[in-house]
Every structure is written in structure tokens, then in C-alpha cells.
């Protein structure tokens, strides 16, 4: 990635370069994931295919690995793989966004890209004021903010936790969904309507039958695919029994009939997790020119310290995933373009009977590994990746209960200990395929062509390169393929 040195305000050129140097010297810098040049990255924002490029912004705090005053950082790409760094997209330079240009989305209109975001402002008593705001990008890439918010304040009955507008074209004009909290401290989503993307009329709360203990919904996203309506959101405050894991916060979705735009009723009542891993939050989707629904997520979670903090940076985005619907569920698979990164292919069919297999050709740090099961009688099929003498990440499938488990208890430098070191998911019809994307400090594991995926950060030593396959209590026959991934 070409590094741009658009310097944020409030720091000298020298200090900023110094910060950049510290980050560049950090271990665990990713090789093919989007990561911040300095400071902290969180939510993907404003995703679009516009004017011949994919555009992507992310929430950014330049000066360190903390959730400070946020910017939108801007990148663009022709192929979702090689990203051009365009530097600061939106800076917190207005009174209404003085404490953060918070998350939002984009939509094309009249040859322009409209960027809708939340202005986060704190008054002298440190009371939060949230408004929904607009900036417009033209074909030359110039971005201009509107001088006052489009929606000045939350509607009655809603607290100042009112943010993250996602906009789409409905049957009758444009619709906006925002995350919100009611004064009774429950999470909800609000719907606004507009004919010109500037004047917005409050339509009301979205009515959904699904109930949870969440006190706030962040980053909602609504879209229709394959005749269904899908509402994605990040409900904060779910109990462990509700969510089935111990992640501090969750990202999930409801799937149902398309939302009724007149009554604002959405009948999705089954909550599904989007990702079963440790580090996944605030995903956003968009439709590209090929009609694909593409998702980027933040491979991180709020309120957790990560080992890179001491090098002045934190987090990265997931690789882009294409969403499809099958059997009433979302499937997520890496976009086809990920294959552009493949080099040095290795392929082998192995048969293991109560034994392990390892071969240096399957070792590495930056790779894609594909395992296709031909036959399995083994009670347990296990893979250890990024292994050295002391460290490894284990992916274990148990045939008895069809459970797949990811264990990062020994993955490398320990962090987020309070939230447990296992994550698991039950597979419907056994294990057929595993596709693992390993980068310097992350794993993304796609199971059975996107039936389940796990995203996680790991912080192993550079020596953590070994891959070991093991069958226990029987045999496993599988074809294994590996490609090194190079940008
Ligand atoms: C989600 C979130 C959003 C907010 C943004 C601020 O991670 O808290 O609700 O707009 O991050 O950076």
C-alpha cells in the first residue's frame, strides 16, 4: 500500500513521522489486510463502487491505539485487493462533529457520492450530542461537508446514542436506518425517509419481533437479497446465553420477508451470528457493479487492549467477503479477487489414520490454505497452524457432535483473557471444507463455503510457521492446497 502523509491537525510533521516510524517497526504488521498507518482503525464506512473505483473509508484515530476523536480515512481500489491510500477523507473540523466524525455509509446520486455520517459532539459538560450529517464527494475526489447537520438531534424517546446511518433506495424514496437506544435503555433502529438525501423525515422505530437484552444497537445495515430482507446490527449488552459466546459485543442479523416500508414492520425473528470468532464487529455491506453484496468488517472489538497498542497502532479490517443466501442463512466467502494474491501453489491428497501429517511446503505466515475432506471416520480432525515450539492456534472438529472449535489459548502473546480462549460452532452436515486465510497477525477461517466463519487476531512470534494435520480415533482423507499470498 502506498503510504500517504496527509498529516492530521494537532501534531507536527516531525512528530507524525516519528509515530509512523514506530508503527512501521512494529511486529505483527499485516501484509494483505487494510490497517492504519498510525493509531487506531475501527468500523468500515462509506463503502461504494463509484466512478470506476471501490471506495472504502474507515474510522480512524491518528495519534494512538485509543478511541479518540475519530476521522474517516479514505482508500480506493480497482480490484478490492490493491488499495491506494488517499489519506484523510473527513476530519472532525465542525462544531457538530468536533468529537468525532462517526460511522456512516454512502450512496450515489446525480454522479456524486453522498457520504452520510454521525456528527459526535460533546458540550462543556461533556454531554454527548449526536446528529446525522452529510458530505458530498465529486468525481475528482473532492469532499465537501454540509455546514449543518441534516438531522439535528434524536427524535423523542431516544437517547443521544443515535448514530451510524446506512442509506439505501427504497420503493418510495431514500431510506435511512440508524442505530439507537430508547430512553428505557433498549437497543433499536430508526427509519428516516427522504426524496433528495438532504431533507429527512422521521418515520419511526423499526418494529421487529426479535427481543434481546441489548441496550444499544450499533451499525445497523438493511438490504434485500434473494427475496429476503436482512437486518444486520451490533446489539450491545446481550447476555452470554443469548449470544452463545463471551465476546464483549456481537454482530448478527435477522432474516425475514422484506421490510414493509409503509408500516416499518420487519418480521425477521431468528438472530444469527455473522462471525463465530473472537474479533469481529461493525460490519458494513454494499452492492458493487457486478451485483455482489460485499462485506467488510472490523477485525477487532471495542474496550479491549491488543498487543500492538504498545507500537502505536491497533486493528485491521477483514478481507472482503461476498454474501449470498442459502437455506435461510447468510453465507460469507472471500471475494473471487482474493485469488489474485495467490502464488506458489502446493497441492497434496493425504490419508491419515490415527496420526499426524506435516510438510514444510504447507508452512508459512501469509497464506491461504484449503482443506477439502474426501472421507472422514476419525472422531477428531485437528489442525494446528502458526505453530512453533511453544505456540499454536488449533482448529478442532469433532465428528461426534459436529462441533468445530478454534482455540487461541496458546496462539502467541495473550490478550483479552477475560473473554475466554475458545470459540465454537455446530455444523449442520459435518465438515466438508476449511479455507484459512493467515496473515501476520490474523486468521479468517471459512467453513463449508461460508456456512460458518471465524475471524480472529493472533500475535505469534515470527517463528510460528508450522502447519500440522492430525486424525484421531480413525482416519481422514483430504486434499490440501496452499498458496502464499503476496500483495
Ligand atoms: C462502532 C462504533 C459506532 C460509532 C463508531 C465510533 O464500533 O461505536 O457506533 O459510530 O464506532 O468510532
Amino acid at each position: 500500500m502506498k503510504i500517504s502523509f496527509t498529516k492530521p491537525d494537532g501534531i507536527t510533521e516531525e512528530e507524525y513521522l516519528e509515530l509512523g516510524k514506530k508503527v512501521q517497526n512494529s511486529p505483527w504488521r499485516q501484509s494483505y489486510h487494510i490497517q492504519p498507518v498510525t493509531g487506531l482503525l475501527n468500523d468500515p464506512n462509506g463503502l461504494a463502487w463509484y466512478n470506476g473505483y471501490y471506495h472504502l473509508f474507515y474510522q480512524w484515530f491518528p495519534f494512538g491505539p485509543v478511541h479518540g476523536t475519530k476521522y474517516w480515512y479514505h482508500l480506493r481500489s480497482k480490484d478490492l485487493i490493491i488499495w491506494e491510500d488517499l489519506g484523510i477523507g473527513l476530519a472532525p473540523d465542525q462544531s457538530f462533529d468536533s468529537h468525532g466524525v462517526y460511522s456512516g455509509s454512502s450512496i450515489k446520486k446525480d454522479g456524486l457520492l453522498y457520504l452520510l455520517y454521525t456528527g459526535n459532539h460533546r458540550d462543556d459538560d461533556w454531554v454527548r450530542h449526536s446528529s446525522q450529517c452529510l458530505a458530498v464527494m465529486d468525481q475528482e475526489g473532492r469532499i465537501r461537508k454540509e455546514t449543518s447537520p441534516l438531522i439535528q438531534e434524536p427524535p423523542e424517546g431516544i437517547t443521544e446514542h443515535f448514530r451510524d446511518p446506512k442509506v439505501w433506495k427504497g420503493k418510495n424514496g431514500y431510506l435511512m436506518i440508524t442505530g439507537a437506544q430508547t430512553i428505557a435503555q433498549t437497543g433499536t433502529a430508526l427509519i428516516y425517509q427522504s426524496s433528495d438525501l438532504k431533507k429527512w423525515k422521521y418515520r419511526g422505530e423499526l418494529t421487529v419481533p426479535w427481543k434481546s437484552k441489548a441496550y444499544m444497537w450499533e451499525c445497523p445495515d438493511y438490504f434485500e437479497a434473494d427475496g429476503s430482507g436482512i437486518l444486520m446490527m451490533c446489539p450491545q449488552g446481550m447476555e452470554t446465553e443469548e449470544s452463545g459466546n463471551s465476546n464483549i459485543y456481537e454482530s448478527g442479523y435477522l432474516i425475514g420477508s422484506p421490510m414493509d416500508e409503509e408500516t416499518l414492520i420487519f418480521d425477521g425473528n431468528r438472530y444469527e451470528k455473522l462471525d463465530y470468532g473472537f474479533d469481529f464487529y461493525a460490519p458494513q455491506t454494499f452492492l458493487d457493479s457486478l451485483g455482489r453484496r460485499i462485506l467488510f468488517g472490523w477485525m477487532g472489538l471495542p474496550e479491549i487492549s491488543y498487543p500492538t497498542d504498545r507500537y502505536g497502532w491497533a486493528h485491521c479490517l477483514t478481507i472482503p467477503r461476498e454474501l449470498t443466501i442459502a437455506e435461510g442463512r447468510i453465507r460469507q466467502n472471500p471475494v473471487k479477487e482474493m485469488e489474485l494474491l495467490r502464488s506458489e501453489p502446493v497441492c497434496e491428497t493425504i490419508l491419515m489414520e490415527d496420526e499426524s501429517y506435516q510438510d514444510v511446503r504447507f508452512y508459512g505466515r501469509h497464506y491461504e490454505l484449503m482443506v477439502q475432506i474426501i472421507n472422514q471416520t476419525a472422531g477428531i480432525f485437528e489442525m494446528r497452524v502458526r505453530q512453533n515450539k511453544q505456540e499454536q492456534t488449533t482448529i478442532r472438529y469433532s465428528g461426534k457432535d459436529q462441533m468445530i472449535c478454534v482455540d487461541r489459548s496458546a496462539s502467541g502473546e495473550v490478550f483479552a483473557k477475560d473473554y475466554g480462549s475458545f470459540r465454537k460452532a455446530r455444523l449442520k452436515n459435518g465438515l466438508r471444507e476449511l479455507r484459512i486465510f493467515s496473515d501476520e497477525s490474523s486468521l479468517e477461517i471459512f467453513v463449508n463455503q461460508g456456512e460458518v466463519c471465524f475471524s480472529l487476531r493472533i500475535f505469534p512470534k515470527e517463528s510460528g510457521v508450522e502447519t500440522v494435520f492430525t486424525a484421531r480415533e480413525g482416519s481422514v482423507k483430504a486434499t490440501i492446497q496452499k498458496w502464499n499470498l503476496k500483495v
Side-chain angles (χ1 to χ4, degrees), residues 42-43 59 70 102-103 163-164 218-219 281 298:
N42 56 305
D43 317 355
Q59 283 286 287
K70 298 287 170 68
Y102 273 11
S103 285
R163 56 180 171 265
D164 310 335
E218 292 192 313
C219 302
Y281 199 65
W298 166 26

Side-chain angles (χ1 to χ4, degrees), residues 100 121 157 200 213 234 273 297:
H121 170 73
W200 290 91
K213 302 223 166 76
C234 300
K273 232 178 255 315

Side-chain angles (χ1 to χ4, degrees), residues 50-51 55 111-113 136-144:
Y50 169 67
N51 201 24
H55 286 268
L112 301 168
L113 191 68
V136 176
M137 183 165 91
D138 66 20
Q139 303 207 351
E140 272 72 57
R142 286 182 298 244
I143 301 177
R144 277 200 201 92

Side-chain angles (χ1 to χ4, degrees), residues 18-191:
E18 206 45 50
L19 211 59
K21 238 190 268 156
K22 182 168 160 189
V23 173
Q24 294 311 316
N25 290 332
S26 164
W28 303 310
R29 289 295 281 171
Q30 297 278 60
S31 74
Y32 59 89
H33 280 83
I34 292 172
Q35 63 192 339
V37 276
T38 60
L40 179 140
L41 161 159
N42 56 305
D43 317 355
N45 290 157
L47 306 178
W49 168 261
Y50 169 67
N51 201 24
Y53 286 93
Y54 290 99
H55 286 268
L56 180 152
F57 301 81
Y58 59 74
Q59 283 286 287
W60 184 51
F61 178 63
F63 307 129
V66 293
H67 288 269
T69 303
K70 298 287 170 68
Y71 291 64
W72 278 30
Y73 201 90
H74 189 191
L75 309 168
R76 71 174 186 183
S77 167
K78 285 272 185 203
D79 59 7
L80 292 165
I81 302 297
I82 309 292
W83 292 91
E84 205 181 319
D85 182 327
L86 300 178
I88 294 166
L90 293 171
D93 51 13
Q94 304 292 314
S95 59
F96 52 83
D97 61 21
S98 57
H99 293 70
V101 180
Y102 273 11
S103 285
S105 59
S106 70
I107 188 162
K108 274 173 281 197
K109 181 176 171 287
D110 305 330
L112 301 168
L113 191 68
Y114 283 60
L115 310 172
L116 291 116
Y117 68 93
T118 298
N120 185 50
H121 170 73
R122 298 266 187 182
D123 65 19
D124 294 343
D125 301 320
W126 204 244
V127 174
R128 185 197 297 275
H129 296 279
S130 300
S131 57
Q132 311 312 328
C133 313
L134 174 69
V136 176
M137 183 165 91
D138 66 20
Q139 303 207 351
E140 272 72 57
R142 286 182 298 244
I143 301 177
R144 277 200 201 92
K145 276 188 190 171
E146 288 281 303
T147 49
S148 58
L150 308 179
I151 304 172
Q152 301 276 352
E153 56 188 13
E156 225 186 288
I158 300 296
T159 71
E160 289 292 341
H161 288 290
F162 165 51
R163 56 180 171 265
D164 310 335
K166 177 81 203 276
V167 177
W168 73 100
K169 208 168 184 168
K171 292 190 187 72
N172 220 338
Y174 297 99
L175 292 172
M176 174 196 287
I177 188 167
T178 73
Q181 177 184 60
T182 66
I183 49 176
Q185 310 281 304
T186 56
T188 188
L190 311 180
I191 304 288

Side-chain angles (χ1 to χ4, degrees), residues 346-352 357 362 369-375 381 383 432-435 469 476-483:
V346 187
C347 180
E348 190 72 66
T349 295
I350 55 170
L351 172 64
M352 298 173 297
Y357 170 86
F362 292 100
L369 188 74
M370 170 108 87
V371 180
Q372 281 156 313
I373 307 283
I374 300 168
N375 187 35
F381 171 55
M383 279 184 66
R432 298 183 305 281
E433 186 182 284
L434 275 174
R435 214 171 146 194
F469 304 84
V476 172
K477 186 174 180 191
T479 299
I480 49 180
Q481 280 169 282
K482 178 187 158 251
W483 298 266

